[in-house]
Amino acid sequence: MKRFCRIVISSLISFAFFSSSAFAASESGVNMAPRAKSAILMEMDSGTVLYEKKPDEKLPPASITKVMTMLLIMEAIDRGELKLTDQVRTSERAASMGGSQIFLQPGEVMTVEDMIKGIAIASANDASVAMAEHIGGTEEAFVAKMNERAKQLGMNNTHFVNSNGLPSPDHYSTARDIAIMSRELLKHEIITKYTGIYQDYLRKDSSNPFWLVNTNRLVRFFEGVDGLKTGYTSEARYCLAATAKRNNMRLVAVVLGEPDAKTRNSEVGGMFTYGFNHFQVFPLYKKGDVIQIAQVDKGKRPTVNIVTSQPVSLLAKKGEKSDAFSKDIVLRPSLQAPVSKTDVVGHIFIKKDGKEIARIDLRPDQTIEQAGMWEILKRSTRKILISYE
C-alpha cells in the first residue's frame, strides 16, 4: 500500500510539470533567448512554464550543478542533521579542486554557513566537495544522493558525476530539470540570504581574509534578482539559473550554452522583463499555512496540521481577474502512524476553465511517531467508556 501511494504521488508530481508546460506553448511566439542552446522561464509558486526553448536537450550544466549540492545541504539542515554553525574540515582532495575556489587549505576548518557562502557567491568547487564529503562521507556517496534526489523530483534527463560541475562525459542536465531543482531549492527561503549577496568576506578575523564577489552580476544590476547560480566551462559555455521576485511573484529563468556572459545576462534579463510585464499573481496561502487538521491513526499524537509546503498563488495574465480560477483541496482519506513531515498527503489543485494548471503539495507540519501498545489500549478503553456514557 505504501509503495502504491509513493507511485501515485510521483505520478502526480510529474504530471504537474507536464501540464504546466502545455501552458507555455501558447504564451509566446518570440524567441527570447536566441543565442542560448536551451532556455526556460518558470513561475515559482505554480511551476507554470511561461517560455521554453529546447528545454529537454541534455547539456553540460557546469557549476549550476551546485544548485543540487545546495539543495541537499538545505534539506540536511531542515532534518536537523546539520547546523549552520557546524565546523567542516577540508580534506586534501577537496582542497585540490581547480577552477572557481575559495582556496581552502588541507585541514582548514570553516563553518557550514561560510561554506555555503563560498558555494553560493563564489561558486567554490573546493567548498562544494568539502560539504559533499561532510554530508555523504565521500563525494561519491553524496553524488549518489544527488542522483536519487533528482529522480524523486522527476528530473528524468539529469545525471550527476560530481558535486561541483567540473567537466565529465556523463554529467548532464536540461533547462527544465534545472528549473525544477532551482524551484525546489527556493522553497528553502533562507537560501536567497546567501545567493542574493553581491559581495562579502570569508576569514574576516584572520590575517588572510578572502573577498567574495557574486559570479551572478544580475544580483546587483537587475531589479529583484537574488540568485541563483552561474556556470561556465569551455564545453558548457555560459550558463545561468537565475531567480527574481517582484510584487509577490517569483520567476526562475535558466539558459544553457550562451556564447558569453553579457549575452547570458541580457537574455535572462529579457525573459524576466517579459514575465513581470505580462503576468501577475494573486496570493492564496503562505508557506506553512494550515489547510486542515487530520486524524492520525495509532499516532503518539492523535492529530496533525496539514500545511502548504510552499507559497500558493494564482498566476494570471495582466488584466485577468482571480475569479477566472478555482481551487480544489484533496487530502489522503486517512493517515496512519508513523507519518513524516516530508510525506505528501494531499494537493491543492488550481484550475482555469476546468483545466488543471498547477498542483501544490500538502504535508504534515511535524513527524508523528507510532504510539506504543499501552497508549493505544488506553485510547481504545477511553472510547469504549465514552460510548457508554
Side-chain angles (χ1 to χ4, degrees):
M1 181 64 182
K2 288 183 179 179
R3 181 175 179 272
F4 173 77
C5 289
R6 283 198 296 269
I7 293 171
V8 170
I9 290 167
S10 176
S11 300
L12 294 178
I13 293 170
S14 299
F15 181 78
F17 287 111
F18 285 120
S19 62
S20 299
S21 299
F23 183 74
S26 63
E27 292 308 321
S28 174
V30 179
N31 186 356
M32 288 185 284
R35 305 292 299 279
K37 289 183 179 179
S38 178
I40 198 166
L41 176 66
M42 182 181 286
E43 192 271 325
M44 167 68 188
D45 286 359
S46 66
T48 302
V49 176
L50 307 180
Y51 167 76
E52 59 185 19
K53 173 187 176 181
K54 298 181 179 179
D56 299 311
E57 183 176 347
K58 295 178 182 178
L59 294 167
S63 282
I64 292 180
T65 298
K66 297 181 178 88
V67 170
M68 181 59 81
T69 299
M70 290 189 287
L71 174 59
L72 294 191
I73 293 170
M74 290 296 113
E75 290 179 341
I77 291 171
D78 273 5
R79 291 192 299 267
E81 298 169 4
L82 195 66
K83 296 184 178 66
L84 291 172
T85 54
D86 285 352
Q87 301 287 313
V88 179
R89 185 172 296 276
T90 305
S91 69
E92 287 193 20
R93 184 172 181 276
S96 71
M97 292 294 117
S100 301
Q101 55 187 303
I102 53 174
F103 299 98
L104 292 167
Q105 298 301 308
E108 182 175 359
V109 174
M110 194 172 278
T111 64
V112 168
E113 182 168 46
D114 281 348
M115 289 285 190
I116 293 171
K117 286 182 180 180
I119 297 168
I121 304 171
S123 192
N125 295 326
D126 47 1
S128 297
V129 174
M131 284 304 305
E133 292 175 341
H134 186 77
I135 293 172
T138 65
E139 187 184 16
E140 291 76 15
F142 184 82
V143 170
K145 292 177 184 288
M146 293 170 69
N147 285 313
E148 180 183 2
R149 192 70 180 99
K151 188 176 293 185
Q152 291 169 353
L153 290 171
M155 296 167 58
N156 299 318
N157 294 302
T158 293
H159 184 259
F160 298 113
V161 174
N162 56 56
S163 62
N164 49 34
L166 288 172
S168 182
D170 201 31
H171 191 97
Y172 56 83
S173 190
T174 68
R176 189 189 309 280
D177 284 0
I178 290 167
I180 290 170
M181 70 174 177
S182 297
R183 183 173 175 243
E184 194 68 20
L185 176 59
L186 287 163
K187 291 178 183 178
H188 302 268
E189 295 174 359
I190 191 176
I191 195 62
T192 55
K193 171 185 173 182
Y194 305 109
T195 60
I197 296 171
Y198 184 67
Q199 59 183 18
D200 201 351
Y201 283 90
L202 293 178
R203 310 181 185 95
K204 292 179 183 177
D205 300 325
S206 74
S207 59
N208 187 31
F210 187 82
W211 185 34
L212 298 172
V213 179
N214 204 317
T215 56
N216 180 7
R217 300 295 187 261
L218 290 178
V219 165
R220 183 174 183 180
F221 298 110
F222 194 94
E223 180 190 351
V225 172
D226 53 5
L228 197 56
K229 191 69 205 69
T230 59
Y232 171 81
T233 65
S234 57
E235 179 190 19
R237 305 304 297 162
Y238 292 84
C239 308
L240 177 60
T243 183
K245 184 175 182 180
R246 294 182 192 172
N247 300 323
N248 295 315
M249 182 165 71
R250 180 174 288 282
L251 300 176
V252 175
V254 179
V255 291
L256 300 176
E258 293 279 17
D260 53 64
K262 183 177 179 180
T263 303
R264 174 184 71 186
N265 294 345
S266 175
E267 292 193 346
V268 167
M271 290 162 68
F272 281 147
T273 298
Y274 165 79
F276 288 125
N277 285 349
H278 289 82
F279 297 91
Q280 61 184 333
V281 295
F282 300 102
L284 291 179
Y285 302 104
K286 297 176 182 177
K287 179 179 178 180
D289 277 357
V290 178
I291 303 301
Q292 189 170 314
I293 299 174
Q295 299 290 322
V296 182
D297 185 34
K298 298 179 181 177
K300 283 188 175 180
R301 295 190 56 176
T303 63
V304 68
N305 293 330
I306 305 303
V307 300
T308 51
S309 59
Q310 64 186 76
V312 182
S313 302
L314 296 176
L315 176 69
K317 294 178 182 177
K318 283 286 180 73
E320 258 185 325
K321 304 297 183 184
S322 61
D323 55 14
F325 299 83
S326 64
K327 73 176 189 296
D328 294 323
I329 298 171
V330 179
L331 296 176
R332 195 187 296 175
S334 63
L335 298 180
Q336 185 165 340
V339 176
S340 171
K341 67 178 182 179
T342 61
D343 290 344
V344 177
V345 298
H347 296 87
I348 299 174
F349 297 91
I350 307 296
K351 297 181 180 180
K352 181 181 178 185
D353 300 324
K355 180 181 177 182
E356 181 184 326
I357 59 172
R359 189 175 299 197
I360 310 300
D361 294 343
L362 297 175
R363 305 177 192 270
D365 68 345
Q366 60 182 297
T367 294
I368 306 294
E369 301 294 343
Q370 189 169 8
M373 289 300 297
W374 177 244
E375 178 62 29
I376 293 171
L377 181 61
K378 283 199 301 182
R379 287 182 195 168
S380 299
T381 304
R382 193 180 303 122
K383 287 180 181 178
I384 292 171
L385 292 174
I386 291 173
S387 68
Y388 278 105
E389 290 180 355

